[in-house]
Amino acid sequence: MSHTAELIAIGTELLLGNIANTDAQMISEGLSELGINVYYHTVVGDNPDRVRQAVEIARRRADIIITTGGLGPTCDDLTKVALAEAFGKKLVYHEPSAQRIRERFAAMERPVTENNFQQAMVPEGCTVLDNDWGTAPGVAFESDGTHVILLPGPPRECEMMFRHRAVPYLKTLSDGVIASRTVKTFGIGESAAEALLRDLMNSLHNPTLAPYAKPTGTELRITAHAATEEEAYALIAPVEEQVKEIIGDHVIGVNVNSIQEVCLNLLKEKGLTLGTAESCTGGLIAKLITDLPGASAVLKGGIVSYTNQVKTGVLEVPQALLEEYGAVSPQVAEAMARGAKKVLGCDIALSATGVAGPDPDDRGNPVGLVYLGLAYGEDCIVQEYHAGRGDRDRVRRLSAGTALDMVRRYLTGLL
């Protein structure tokens, strides 16, 4: 049976724009992995009548309702009251949850105030979802064919409660198992990927294939439903191979998180080290690598050569190159990469020099023009990259990712 879900985020602060509704994005991604369709997101303020109205609308068009927020100890935390009333359930005191609250406050060496125990009030007959990451337990129950899950709002708590409490509950609602694998790409947008895969997507029923746009590429998720996990993955395997063949060298891996993770693993496998010389990216390439565990086995160091003085004084870029071609040029990108390799003593050196914006540089080079260098052995490859017009962060992020993709392509024989 195919399920549909609606997410209801409760909190006036969301409507005022004080915080972003990151919970909805996280839960929607998780539900798609389970093969559960999400057709609507609703955001409603801390008002019991409007919460009840939102629930009444949701139960007419979804058989799973997931709420976030409004489970805390303060007077505006009204989710359980409103949901219990909407489904005709009484709230009852749950002593195990109350004891968990006492223990959590004792561990923090803080006194527990009486209002915290309203978090231990739950709808009668529900499944209590223990919260090991906060004080408010989650709740799950079924009423007239509608499954309801209440989760806390703080993003860290919500994510952990969803993944470790809600997902196991949701998996019990389907016969058999749902499995998925995600083909990760770099440098191809959602519309371009969809155009290439449209015929395949339209031909599939089980498994299904869906593209998801990401900042630097597209995720292609293949989801199958079967009696066992082994059977589900057997359905996925041939489709995965078709997708990789169609998308080609834009595919960076399957079930991988990022281009930096792919690069780190490739460098480790080959026993190679990396160094960076960055101008327009301001150290972002090195940061992306050092964000990962095990980076110290690979990254020798990074030089942020933002000024010409550092380019000449540290990286030994010839002054004549800067005067003749300017800092944003293939000649300087090559000199930066070769200089970084020499100074840092690394096997592979990446360089980035370009115009992050918001204005063209003094030589008229447009915003988004970036030259990327990769030095390895006696060789050096320079690539001209156009990040397009946009804010500085976007230009820097795309340029850093593309530089790391050069490493992937070089080490896999694509460059």
Side-chain angles (χ1 to χ4, degrees):
M1 175 183 175
S2 177
H3 291 283
T4 60
E6 178 159 344
L7 311 186
I8 303 177
I10 299 166
T12 302
E13 67 276 12
L14 294 168
L15 293 174
L16 294 176
N18 294 337
I19 61 173
N21 188 11
T22 56
D23 291 344
Q25 179 187 15
M26 178 273 300
I27 293 172
S28 287
E29 288 185 337
L31 291 175
S32 71
E33 292 174 3
L34 296 174
I36 297 173
N37 298 312
V38 179
Y39 292 145
Y40 298 97
H41 284 188
T42 298
V43 180
V44 61
D46 299 309
N47 179 285
D49 289 335
R50 287 194 283 274
V51 172
R52 285 192 292 270
Q53 290 172 16
V55 171
E56 288 302 319
I57 293 170
R59 68 191 302 184
R60 292 197 294 267
R61 60 192 185 187
D63 62 332
I64 298 172
I65 298 173
I66 300 178
T67 72
T68 58
L71 300 183
T74 60
C75 60
D76 60 350
D77 290 313
L78 46 79
T79 298
K80 280 182 291 190
V81 174
L83 269 290
E85 291 179 358
F87 287 92
K89 291 184 174 290
K90 295 179 181 178
L91 288 177
V92 296
Y93 187 71
H94 188 246
E95 175 56 32
S97 291
Q99 183 58 29
R100 291 174 69 89
I101 291 169
R102 295 187 193 99
E103 291 171 356
R104 186 168 183 85
F105 273 84
M108 296 186 293
E109 299 182 346
R110 289 169 48 191
V112 57
T113 55
E114 193 62 30
N115 60 347
N116 277 284
F117 292 109
Q118 80 176 41
Q119 297 172 107
M121 300 296 292
V122 300
E124 60 182 346
C126 73
T127 298
V128 176
L129 307 176
D130 291 336
N131 186 351
D132 291 332
W133 306 274
T135 55
V139 165
F141 63 84
E142 185 271 336
S143 178
D144 296 327
T146 301
H147 294 272
V148 182
I149 299 175
L150 281 59
L151 299 174
R156 170 65 176 167
E157 282 185 56
C158 186
E159 180 173 4
M160 300 305 287
M161 287 288 287
F162 175 73
R163 299 201 183 283
H164 298 285
R165 301 290 185 263
V167 167
Y169 177 86
L170 290 166
K171 284 182 175 179
T172 67
L173 306 184
S174 298
D175 296 328
V177 300
I178 295 171
S180 67
R181 281 173 65 81
T182 301
V183 178
K184 186 89 168 182
T185 73
F186 186 91
I188 183 169
E190 183 184 22
S191 59
E194 194 273 342
L196 291 172
L197 295 167
R198 184 174 301 161
D199 291 343
L200 177 60
M201 291 168 60
N202 290 338
S203 71
L204 295 172
H205 299 287
N206 184 32
T208 59
L209 172 63
Y212 297 90
K214 296 296 177 180
T216 56
T218 304
E219 288 185 356
L220 304 163
R221 186 169 297 142
I222 310 164
T223 305
H225 181 271
T228 67
E229 190 173 81
E230 183 180 19
E231 291 175 16
Y233 283 122
L235 291 170
I236 289 171
V239 177
E240 180 182 313
E241 292 306 311
Q242 286 179 275
V243 169
K244 289 194 287 188
E245 183 177 348
I246 292 169
I247 299 299
D249 61 12
H250 285 293
V251 174
I252 64 171
V254 178
N255 285 359
V256 297
N257 292 316
S258 62
I259 184 64
Q260 54 266 35
E261 178 187 295
V262 172
C263 285
L264 181 69
N265 291 336
L266 281 171
L267 289 163
K268 281 184 175 180
E269 289 169 13
K270 296 179 181 296
L272 299 174
T273 57
L274 179 71
T276 64
E278 305 182 57
S279 184
C280 62
T281 48
L284 182 56
I285 300 172
K287 177 190 180 300
L288 291 174
I289 294 293
T290 56
D291 283 344
L292 301 173
S296 59
V298 164
L299 187 71
K300 278 292 192 75
I303 298 165
V304 180
S305 53
Y306 211 64
T307 64
N308 286 348
Q309 288 87 344
V310 176
K311 291 181 178 70
T312 57
V314 178
L315 294 173
E316 300 179 1
V317 175
Q319 182 67 34
L321 285 182
L322 290 164
E323 292 175 356
E324 183 175 357
Y325 301 106
V328 181
S329 63
Q331 293 83 1
V332 169
E334 177 177 346
M336 288 172 61
R338 290 188 183 278
K341 185 174 181 296
K342 176 182 176 182
V343 171
L344 297 172
C346 51
D347 297 309
I348 297 176
L350 285 174
S351 67
T353 179
V355 185
D359 301 311
D361 69 2
D362 55 3
R363 291 187 176 234
N365 289 311
V367 174
L369 173 63
V370 180
Y371 291 99
L372 304 169
L374 184 152
Y376 180 40
E378 298 300 317
D379 299 328
C380 188
I381 300 167
V382 177
Q383 178 176 313
E384 182 177 306
Y385 176 64
H386 295 268
R389 293 189 176 275
D391 58 53
R392 289 172 62 82
D393 180 68
R394 179 179 180 276
V395 171
R396 293 171 66 245
R397 176 168 34 83
L398 291 176
S399 300
T402 302
L404 290 171
D405 193 46
M406 287 179 69
V407 175
R408 174 189 73 91
R409 289 173 176 273
Y410 188 84
L411 294 182
T412 54
L414 296 172
L415 190 63

